[in-house]
Amino acid sequence: MRQFMWVQRSLSLPAKSRGFHLITSQITDAVPEIGTTEVGLLHVFIQHTSASLTINENADPDVRVDFETAMNHAVPESLPYVHTLEGPDDMPAHVKASMMGASVQIPVGGGRLLMGTWQGIYLCEHRDRGGSRRVIVTLMGQAG
Protein backbone atom coordinates (compact mmCIF):
# COMPACT_ATOMS: atom_id res chain seq x y z
CA MET A 1 0.00 0.00 0.00
CA ARG A 2 1.31 3.41 -0.93
CA GLN A 3 1.42 5.97 1.80
CA PHE A 4 1.16 9.72 1.30
CA MET A 5 3.81 11.66 3.21
CA TRP A 6 4.90 15.17 4.05
CA VAL A 7 8.43 15.87 5.22
CA GLN A 8 9.71 19.33 6.07
CA ARG A 9 13.21 20.29 7.17
CA SER A 10 14.98 23.53 7.91
CA LEU A 11 18.54 23.57 6.61
CA SER A 12 21.22 26.11 7.47
CA LEU A 13 23.71 26.61 4.66
CA PRO A 14 27.14 27.97 5.63
CA ALA A 15 28.12 31.46 4.50
CA LYS A 16 29.23 31.60 0.88
CA SER A 17 31.05 34.21 -1.12
CA ARG A 18 29.10 36.30 -3.58
CA GLY A 19 28.20 34.15 -6.58
CA PHE A 20 26.33 31.03 -7.62
CA HIS A 21 26.87 27.86 -5.58
CA LEU A 22 25.59 24.34 -6.27
CA ILE A 23 23.68 23.00 -3.27
CA THR A 24 21.91 19.98 -4.79
CA SER A 25 23.73 17.43 -2.64
CA GLN A 26 23.14 19.42 0.56
CA ILE A 27 19.43 19.51 -0.22
CA THR A 28 19.15 15.80 -1.02
CA ASP A 29 21.27 14.86 2.02
CA ALA A 30 18.83 16.78 4.24
CA VAL A 31 15.85 14.76 2.95
CA PRO A 32 16.82 11.07 2.69
CA GLU A 33 13.11 10.25 2.29
CA ILE A 34 13.51 11.21 -1.37
CA GLY A 35 15.01 7.72 -1.79
CA THR A 36 11.70 6.06 -0.91
CA THR A 37 9.41 8.43 -2.82
CA GLU A 38 7.67 6.86 -5.82
CA VAL A 39 6.05 10.09 -6.97
CA GLY A 40 6.19 13.52 -5.40
CA LEU A 41 7.36 17.08 -5.39
CA LEU A 42 10.24 18.75 -3.57
CA HIS A 43 9.86 22.44 -2.75
CA VAL A 44 12.93 24.44 -1.64
CA PHE A 45 12.37 27.94 -0.21
CA ILE A 46 15.04 30.41 0.96
CA GLN A 47 14.14 32.62 3.93
CA HIS A 48 16.17 35.64 2.85
CA THR A 49 15.59 38.71 0.69
CA SER A 50 19.14 39.16 -0.62
CA ALA A 51 19.81 35.63 -1.87
CA SER A 52 17.84 33.41 -4.22
CA LEU A 53 17.51 29.93 -5.71
CA THR A 54 17.55 28.70 -9.27
CA ILE A 55 18.01 25.52 -11.28
CA ASN A 56 20.52 25.50 -14.10
CA GLU A 57 23.59 23.84 -15.62
CA ASN A 58 25.63 21.97 -13.05
CA ALA A 59 28.68 20.73 -14.99
CA ASP A 60 30.75 23.63 -16.32
CA PRO A 61 31.94 26.03 -13.57
CA ASP A 62 32.13 28.81 -16.18
CA VAL A 63 28.33 28.96 -16.04
CA ARG A 64 28.55 30.22 -12.43
CA VAL A 65 30.97 32.97 -13.44
CA ASP A 66 28.78 34.00 -16.37
CA PHE A 67 25.67 34.09 -14.15
CA GLU A 68 27.40 36.51 -11.78
CA THR A 69 28.64 38.66 -14.68
CA ALA A 70 25.20 38.83 -16.29
CA MET A 71 23.40 39.64 -13.03
CA ASN A 72 25.89 42.41 -12.20
CA HIS A 73 25.37 43.86 -15.68
CA ALA A 74 21.58 43.69 -15.37
CA VAL A 75 21.52 45.11 -11.82
CA PRO A 76 24.58 47.32 -11.27
CA GLU A 77 25.53 48.70 -7.85
CA SER A 78 26.02 52.12 -9.47
CA LEU A 79 22.30 52.92 -9.77
CA PRO A 80 21.10 55.75 -7.48
CA TYR A 81 19.41 53.47 -4.91
CA VAL A 82 17.59 55.07 -1.97
CA HIS A 83 17.89 52.04 0.36
CA THR A 84 21.63 52.16 1.14
CA LEU A 85 21.84 51.73 4.95
CA GLU A 86 23.19 48.19 4.68
CA GLY A 87 25.85 48.93 2.08
CA PRO A 88 26.12 49.34 -1.69
CA ASP A 89 25.54 45.63 -2.40
CA ASP A 90 22.31 45.35 -0.39
CA MET A 91 19.65 46.92 -2.64
CA PRO A 92 21.08 45.32 -5.80
CA ALA A 93 20.95 42.01 -3.90
CA HIS A 94 17.23 42.51 -3.17
CA VAL A 95 16.52 43.25 -6.84
CA LYS A 96 18.52 40.22 -8.02
CA ALA A 97 16.76 37.97 -5.48
CA SER A 98 13.36 39.14 -6.74
CA MET A 99 14.40 38.51 -10.33
CA MET A 100 15.74 34.99 -9.61
CA GLY A 101 13.11 33.89 -7.08
CA ALA A 102 12.88 32.57 -3.55
CA SER A 103 11.96 28.97 -4.36
CA VAL A 104 12.30 26.07 -6.76
CA GLN A 105 10.17 22.96 -7.22
CA ILE A 106 11.50 19.67 -8.50
CA PRO A 107 9.48 16.56 -9.35
CA VAL A 108 10.51 13.39 -7.52
CA GLY A 109 10.05 9.88 -8.86
CA GLY A 110 11.59 6.47 -8.45
CA GLY A 111 13.50 7.60 -5.38
CA ARG A 112 15.33 10.54 -7.00
CA LEU A 113 14.98 14.12 -8.15
CA LEU A 114 13.73 14.18 -11.74
CA MET A 115 16.03 16.92 -12.97
CA GLY A 116 17.72 16.93 -16.34
CA THR A 117 21.19 15.42 -16.74
CA TRP A 118 22.95 18.79 -16.48
CA GLN A 119 20.68 20.47 -13.93
CA GLY A 120 21.52 21.41 -10.36
CA ILE A 121 20.07 23.56 -7.60
CA TYR A 122 21.93 26.82 -6.99
CA LEU A 123 22.13 29.12 -4.02
CA CYS A 124 22.54 32.56 -5.58
CA GLU A 125 24.40 34.70 -3.05
CA HIS A 126 23.97 38.32 -4.03
CA ARG A 127 25.77 39.96 -1.08
CA ASP A 128 29.53 40.31 -0.69
CA ARG A 129 29.19 38.83 2.81
CA GLY A 130 25.70 37.44 3.15
CA GLY A 131 26.24 35.11 6.08
CA SER A 132 24.63 31.73 6.55
CA ARG A 133 21.38 31.12 4.70
CA ARG A 134 18.36 29.13 5.84
CA VAL A 135 16.24 27.10 3.45
CA ILE A 136 13.03 25.20 4.13
CA VAL A 137 12.82 21.94 2.20
CA THR A 138 9.40 20.30 1.87
CA LEU A 139 8.83 16.90 0.29
CA MET A 140 5.32 15.73 -0.45
CA GLY A 141 4.51 12.51 -2.19
CA GLN A 142 3.79 8.81 -2.10
CA ALA A 143 6.27 6.48 -0.51
CA GLY A 144 6.67 2.95 -1.75
Side-chain angles (χ1 to χ4, degrees):
M1 178 178 185
R2 293 181 185 166
Q3 191 169 26
F4 194 77
M5 68 170 165
W6 284 87
V7 176
Q8 189 170 75
R9 305 258 160 65
S10 176
L11 177 62
S12 181
L13 300 172
K16 304 274 188 195
S17 61
R18 183 171 171 165
F20 291 73
H21 307 277
L22 280 168
I23 59 167
T24 310
S25 62
Q26 290 167 279
I27 298 299
T28 56
D29 289 349
V31 189
E33 293 87 351
I34 291 170
T36 61
T37 304
E38 287 186 29
V39 62
L41 187 64
L42 183 72
H43 182 264
V44 185
F45 176 81
I46 190 163
Q47 294 183 308
H48 300 274
T49 59
S50 58
S52 58
L53 300 170
T54 194
I55 295 174
N56 215 293
E57 215 242 75
N58 69 356
D60 185 350
D62 289 346
V63 169
R64 299 168 214 177
V65 174
D66 290 342
F67 258 133
E68 181 66 15
T69 300
M71 288 305 289
N72 290 334
H73 179 74
V75 186
E77 288 184 14
S78 61
L79 291 177
Y81 297 105
V82 176
H83 174 75
T84 59
L85 291 175
E86 297 178 57
D89 67 334
D90 186 51
M91 192 59 217
H94 292 308
V95 174
K96 292 172 186 177
S98 286
M99 290 171 68
M100 301 293 291
S103 66
V104 294
Q105 295 183 90
I106 304 110
V108 178
R112 64 182 186 83
L113 298 181
L114 296 177
M115 292 195 295
T117 303
W118 306 113
Q119 289 182 318
I121 304 168
Y122 279 91
L123 165 67
C124 313
E125 179 54 67
H126 304 301
R127 298 291 311 265
D128 291 332
R129 288 171 285 287
S132 65
R133 300 299 191 175
R134 182 161 303 281
V135 296
I136 305 299
V137 183
T138 306
L139 173 65
M140 58 210 103
Q142 289 183 353

